[in-house]
Amino acid sequence: MFKPLIHWAAAFALAATASLPARAADFPTRPVRLLVPFSPGGGIDQLARIAAVKMAEDLKQQVVVENMAGAGGAIAAKTVANAAPDGYTLIFNSSSAVATGLLGKERLGFDPVKDFAPVSLVAQFPLVMVVNPKVPARNMKEFVELLRKNPDKYNYGSSGNGTAIHLASELFKTLAGVNMQHVPYKGTAAAMQDLLGGRIHMMLDGVPPQIGNIHEGRVRALGVTTTERSAMLPDVPTVAEAVPGYAFPFWVAIYAPAGTPQPVLDRLAAAVSAAAKDPQSRQRFKDAGSDAVGSTPAELAAFWKQQIDLYSGIVSKTGIKLDGE
């Protein structure tokens, strides 16, 4: 006598399931917000705006870039984590903001893994290790030897405790077997001033901001943090050529709130892929010192797990904490 009830339940489930692709096929029907957890005008903001232009064309809706800086990216991340899981509120996240979120998830009020759904890996780019020209090391091999002979004599600057630059520097110390003092700053601009002034000895930074300093001899480039050399600095070796196993790419990716339907995630990822494949967009990414990717949600999820494992391992070995913890 329960047979009609089973048929009713099955019909209800089928109708609910069938409605998801239909809604996804119509998505989006209004502008999409793309939150950038940094101030306008910076490198991450520039990459977000490059992606947004072509995404809007593909989606046939505006993709509105909104800058929401503060708390190392936590304000924007919490806003997206608490947004409706409908694909209309996204975050253009960077490895630095993710590292901050991973370290401070209890205090910051969101979980950088559980509260977000991967959409697409947008682009990757190397950092470059630069030293003050007065540091007596002409290349990475000599720098490692110098540090090993003089433990804790030399220091490095970062954009703050718990940032990706901090983690990348600590990974270098661990794999190279050296000791350096960490000097945290509130952003790379202040650290760069002290590097040029000789008050700190080394720092990692994006390639484009350092091109002029390198070519004019204000800093000396020792290596890039990716497994391949940078097209913008073809004569600068990778750090891994002197420190085997070292790799720390900087990257940007788009995430939606957890619970966003898979068809919506796939539609958004297709729009990112269109931006990554567009010749003009690819050139704009390249001019900004990055390589366009445009992955699927599944590909970003796999990459994301790899990066979280990397960050967690560094934190576990070094005991890195955010300011105030």
Side-chain angles (χ1 to χ4, degrees):
M1 68 179 169
F2 293 106
K3 193 172 182 180
L5 179 61
I6 294 174
H7 283 175
W8 171 255
F12 180 81
L14 180 63
T17 303
S19 68
L20 279 177
R23 288 199 297 270
D26 296 334
F27 175 87
T29 58
R30 63 179 191 271
V32 175
R33 300 171 66 201
L34 183 59
L35 272 57
V36 177
F38 299 99
S39 301
I44 304 301
D45 177 62
Q46 180 184 4
L47 296 176
R49 293 177 189 278
I50 294 171
V53 170
K54 197 64 183 180
M55 285 179 65
E57 292 180 12
D58 191 78
L59 293 170
K60 296 179 173 55
Q61 281 287 347
Q62 284 184 296
V63 176
V64 182
V65 176
E66 297 182 24
N67 297 92
M68 192 175 289
I75 295 174
K78 192 171 183 179
T79 299
V80 174
N82 292 330
D86 54 14
Y88 288 98
T89 305
L90 312 172
I91 186 167
F92 194 83
N93 229 345
S94 74
S95 44
S96 195
V98 168
T100 301
L102 182 66
L103 282 169
K105 60 183 179 182
E106 291 82 6
R107 178 160 62 89
L108 297 176
F110 67 91
D111 189 306
V113 177
K114 297 179 180 178
D115 291 341
F116 299 94
V119 173
S120 181
L121 180 64
V122 179
Q124 295 187 75
F125 48 97
L127 300 174
V128 59
M129 182 181 293
V130 291
V131 295
N132 183 280
K134 293 182 180 179
V135 172
R138 293 169 297 174
N139 53 53
M140 183 61 68
K141 182 179 179 181
E142 290 184 2
F143 187 53
V144 171
E145 291 174 353
L146 177 70
L147 297 176
R148 287 175 177 169
K149 291 177 181 177
N150 299 276
D152 290 323
K153 178 179 178 180
Y154 293 90
N155 57 33
Y156 74 90
S158 80
S159 51
N161 283 316
T163 60
I165 289 177
H166 184 193
L167 268 62
S169 301
E170 289 295 318
L171 179 63
F172 165 74
K173 285 173 52 180
T174 299
L175 294 180
V178 299
N179 289 320
M180 300 178 72
Q181 296 295 321
H182 175 222
V183 183
Y185 292 82
K186 294 186 181 298
T188 55
M192 193 64 217
Q193 288 180 352
D194 277 2
L195 181 71
L196 294 174
R199 289 176 286 277
I200 60 173
H201 302 107
M202 182 275 278
M203 68 176 286
L204 293 167
D205 196 12
V207 171
Q210 293 302 325
I211 291 290
N213 290 329
I214 293 167
H215 288 164
E216 293 171 19
R218 290 194 289 266
V219 299
R220 182 181 299 126
L222 299 183
V224 294
T225 63
T226 43
T227 55
E228 297 182 358
R229 296 192 181 196
S230 167
M232 299 184 78
L233 293 172
D235 295 329
V236 177
T238 65
V239 174
E241 290 177 46
V243 183
Y246 185 90
F248 200 105
F250 210 83
W251 50 269
V252 287
I254 292 176
Y255 294 84
T260 301
Q262 189 63 46
V264 173
L265 298 176
D266 292 338
R267 181 68 189 94
L268 289 166
V272 178
S273 179
K277 292 177 181 177
D278 175 67
Q280 289 186 334
S281 297
R282 288 188 70 86
Q283 186 59 48
R284 292 184 67 195
F285 277 116
K286 185 176 180 180
D287 292 343
S290 65
D291 294 319
V293 179
S295 76
T296 65
E299 289 168 341
L300 174 55
F303 175 80
W304 172 239
K305 182 182 184 305
Q306 179 190 55
Q307 293 297 291
I308 291 296
D309 290 345
L310 173 64
Y311 299 166
S312 299
I314 298 170
V315 170
S316 176
K317 289 179 180 178
T318 62
I320 290 175
K321 296 183 181 297
L322 293 180
D323 292 325
E325 293 192 340

